[in-house]
């Protein structure tokens, strides 16, 4: 069984601005390892409760999404997870303070996971009927036998799915910021 990775209980005031331009969202959609020596920078312009914000394990931005140092440490010990995902260094600036240890998730795997016959979609561009789709209803395939932790959907590369074993890992470790 698989689950879509979705934001949950994450306040709008905690959305970061992506300050780096070395790696784009498009680069991350390619599902290829990225060489980068400098940490990616994220900044929060509004003054917020640092303690409350830093309690979230998944953080969201107008660029790539990233995870907390706590979750990065937990995931870095899982070699099977790291076959599907590359963790890129990130620093965040909150209330003028720099925080290191955060990681951007670069997903390295795609799987065919959307049942196109049961889902409701249409081409984004009329002249590309087999091109990218706009989905109104998504039904995931139930018979996926691939052994994976996290992947992008082949049919909609902006969507990220996780396996039940990763979802259970997140539940057991009280991961905050996504719907479980």
């Amino acid at each position: 069984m698989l689950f879509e990775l979705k934001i949950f209980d994450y306040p709008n005031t905690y959305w970061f601005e992506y300050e780096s331009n070395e790696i784009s969202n498009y680069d991350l959609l390619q599902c290829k390892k990225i060489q980068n020596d400098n940490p990616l920078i994220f900044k929060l312009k509004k003054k917020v409760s640092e303690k409350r914000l830093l309690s979230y394990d998944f953080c969201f931005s107008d660029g790539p999404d990233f995870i907390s140092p706590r979750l990065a440490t937990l995931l870095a010990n899982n070699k099977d997870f790291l076959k599907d995902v590359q963790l890129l260094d990130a620093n965040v600036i909150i209330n003028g303070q720099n925080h290191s240890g955060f990681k951007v998730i670069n997903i390295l795997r795609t799987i065919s996971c959307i049942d196109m016959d049961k889902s409701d979609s249409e081409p984004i561009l009329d002249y590309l009927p087999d091109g990218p789709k706009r989905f109104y209803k998504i039904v995931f395939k139930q018979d996926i036998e691939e052994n994976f932790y996290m992947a992008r959907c082949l049919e909609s590369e902006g969507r990220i799915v996780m396996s039940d074993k990763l979802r259970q890992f997140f539940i057991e470790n009280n991961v905050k910021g996504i719907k479980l």
Side-chain angles (χ1 to χ4, degrees), residues 7-8 10-11 13 16 25 35 38 51-52 71 84-86 94 112 114 118 144 150 163:
I7 300 168
F8 183 74
Y10 191 80
T13 55
F16 285 84
N25 276 345
Q35 283 299 103
N38 300 319
K51 183 179 179 182
R52 185 158 182 253
L71 183 56
D84 295 342
V85 173
Q86 176 187 17
I94 305 166
S112 178
I114 297 177
K118 294 179 182 174
I144 294 175
M150 189 176 274
S163 65

Side-chain angles (χ1 to χ4, degrees), residues 21-138:
N21 55 11
E22 299 162 30
I23 297 172
S24 70
N25 276 345
Y26 179 76
D27 294 329
L28 295 170
L29 291 174
Q30 302 307 304
C31 295
K32 295 179 181 170
K33 284 204 174 206
I34 295 174
Q35 283 299 103
N36 187 41
D37 295 329
N38 300 319
L40 303 176
I41 307 296
F42 298 87
K43 188 174 188 178
L44 196 61
K45 299 243 174 171
K46 296 181 180 181
K47 192 158 179 76
V48 297
S49 165
E50 234 172 284
K51 183 179 179 182
R52 185 158 182 253
L53 172 57
L54 292 174
S55 73
Y56 285 88
D57 292 300
F58 270 85
C59 300
F60 300 92
S61 80
D62 59 1
D65 301 328
F66 55 97
I67 60 174
S68 70
R70 178 186 89 90
L71 183 56
T73 300
L74 289 170
L75 292 172
N77 293 324
N78 185 327
K79 288 182 172 68
D80 289 330
F81 175 79
L82 295 176
K83 290 177 185 174
D84 295 342
V85 173
Q86 176 187 17
L87 298 175
L88 302 168
D89 291 333
N91 290 346
V92 300
I93 301 168
I94 305 166
N95 300 334
Q97 294 285 101
N98 188 42
H99 299 269
S100 61
F102 289 83
K103 302 286 184 182
V104 168
I105 295 176
N106 179 27
I107 298 169
L108 304 174
R109 185 172 191 171
T110 59
I111 61 171
S112 178
C113 58
I114 297 177
D115 186 327
M116 295 303 288
D117 294 329
K118 294 179 182 174
S119 297
D120 184 16
S121 68
E122 68 180 13
I124 291 175
L125 303 170
D126 291 337
Y127 61 89
L128 288 175
D130 294 327
K133 307 273 189 236
R134 176 179 297 115
F135 285 89
Y136 299 104
K137 175 185 168 192
I138 292 181

Side-chain angles (χ1 to χ4, degrees), residues 1-4 29-31 83-84 107-116 135 138-164:
M1 180 162 244
L2 59 88
F3 301 89
E4 186 173 0
L29 291 174
Q30 302 307 304
C31 295
K83 290 177 185 174
D84 295 342
I107 298 169
L108 304 174
R109 185 172 191 171
T110 59
I111 61 171
S112 178
C113 58
I114 297 177
D115 186 327
M116 295 303 288
F135 285 89
I138 292 181
V139 176
F140 289 109
K141 295 176 182 176
Q142 295 300 311
D143 57 350
I144 294 175
E145 295 187 22
E146 287 193 53
N147 186 14
F148 78 102
Y149 276 83
M150 189 176 274
R152 289 193 178 279
C153 292
L154 182 65
E155 300 83 0
S156 179
E157 59 196 19
R159 289 188 201 288
I160 299 169
V161 292
M162 62 181 154
S163 65
D164 186 49

